[in-house]
Amino acid sequence: MHVPDEVKPRRRQARGERRIAQLLDAAATVFRTTGYTAASTNAIAREAHVSPGTLYQYFPNKEAIAVELGERLLHRMREAHGQAFTPANFDLPLAEMLDAILDPMIEFNCANPVFLALMHGSDVPGRIAEEHDALHASLLTRVEELLGHYLPDMPAADRTRTASMAFALFKAGLDLVIGHEDEEREAYVRELKLVMFRYLEPVIGHVVPADRGTTTRHDAVASLPGVYTP
C-alpha cells in the first residue's frame, strides 16, 4: 500500500519521540544508580536496549542527554510548584496548607528520584545547574511570599531566614522519604509534615486575619508559653 509522503515525516517524528523518551528513561535509571560522573553513553544504551550507534543518532554525548533530561524534569517541577503555591492554599489552616503545598512536591520527587541525583551532582552541565539555581531561588521567593501573606510586617531578613530554614528542613526530610518505600515512606511523609508544622506553627500557625499587619515573627514566637527567644 502506498503511504502518502506527507504522512511519513509525522510517523518518523513519532518514532523518534518514542526513542528519545526511551533513552531518557534509561539515562534517568543510570544517573540515579551510578551518578552523573560515572555514567556513560554505553551504559545508557545498554539500559535502553539499543546500540550506542542508535543513541548517537539522537544525542551526541552524555551531557546532551543530561541537559534534555534536566530540562524536562525542571518543567515538571515548575508544574508541581504551580499546583502547590496558589492563593487558595495560602488561606488554608496551617496543617491543611502543608498538605496542599508539600504533597505535589513530594509526589514529584518520589516519581522522579533522578531529579535530586542529577541536580545535586558536583559536575552536572552548567546549563542544568543554572536553571536549577533559578528554580531554587523561585521556590524560596514563594515561601517568603507565603510568610508575608500571614505576617506582612515581618522584617525581610527574618522572612528570608525562616524561608531558608523551612526549605532546608524539607530537603532533609525529602531524602528520607525518597529512601524508603510503601508504608515506611508514608510514615516518613507524616514525620516530615510534623517537623514542618512544629517549625512554622509558632510563627504563623496561630495568626488570624485581624492580627495581620501588626504581628512580627518575634512577637508571634515570644507570645507562646514555654518558648525561649533571646
Side-chain angles (χ1 to χ4, degrees):
M1 183 180 69
H2 175 70
V3 179
D5 290 340
E6 63 270 16
V7 175
K8 293 179 181 178
R10 182 177 300 173
R11 289 185 176 177
R12 285 199 296 269
Q13 183 179 11
R15 286 197 297 270
E17 286 299 321
R18 288 195 296 272
R19 181 67 78 190
I20 289 172
Q22 178 186 4
L23 291 168
L24 293 178
D25 286 344
T29 298
V30 173
F31 290 153
R32 186 179 72 248
T33 55
T34 69
Y36 176 74
T37 301
S40 68
T41 51
N42 285 342
I44 295 171
R46 283 196 302 272
E47 182 67 29
H49 303 291
V50 302
S51 69
T54 297
L55 182 150
Y56 289 126
Q57 291 178 21
Y58 298 94
F59 297 102
N61 50 43
K62 179 178 70 172
E63 180 178 351
I65 298 173
V67 168
E68 178 69 21
L69 177 60
E71 288 181 348
R72 295 193 181 201
L73 289 169
L74 287 167
H75 175 72
R76 294 174 198 166
M77 187 60 169
R78 292 187 189 98
E79 290 182 337
H81 286 185
Q83 296 175 30
F85 291 94
T86 65
N89 288 344
F90 284 13
D91 283 328
L92 293 172
L94 179 57
E96 295 177 26
M97 180 183 71
L98 287 174
D99 284 339
I101 290 178
L102 297 183
D103 283 347
M105 300 174 67
I106 293 172
E107 181 180 353
F108 165 81
N109 281 279
C110 289
N112 301 278
V114 68
F115 182 79
L116 292 179
L118 184 60
M119 297 303 168
H120 294 170
S122 60
D123 57 349
V124 297
R127 180 174 171 183
I128 295 178
E130 290 173 3
E131 291 190 22
H132 176 260
D133 288 347
L135 183 60
H136 180 272
S138 173
L139 177 57
L140 281 178
T141 297
R142 302 303 295 274
V143 177
E144 290 187 39
E145 290 173 354
L146 183 151
L147 294 171
H149 181 73
Y150 282 84
L151 298 170
D153 286 349
M154 188 180 198
D158 285 352
R159 191 163 57 243
T160 298
R161 191 181 307 111
T162 302
S164 298
M165 181 60 71
F167 191 54
L169 290 171
F170 172 73
K171 288 196 298 181
L174 185 62
D175 286 339
L176 290 169
V177 170
I178 294 175
H180 295 82
E181 296 180 352
D182 302 326
E183 293 183 3
E184 194 65 12
R185 172 174 287 178
E186 291 302 316
Y188 273 102
V189 168
R190 291 192 296 272
E191 290 296 316
L192 173 56
K193 290 181 179 179
L194 179 60
V195 168
M196 298 295 294
F197 181 88
R198 287 181 172 172
Y199 176 65
L200 291 173
E201 199 277 337
V203 183
I204 62 175
H206 76 297
V207 177
V208 295
D211 295 325
R212 295 176 187 174
T214 60
T215 306
T216 67
R217 181 188 191 283
H218 184 274
D219 294 335
V221 176
S223 66
L224 298 175
V227 176
Y228 169 76
T229 54

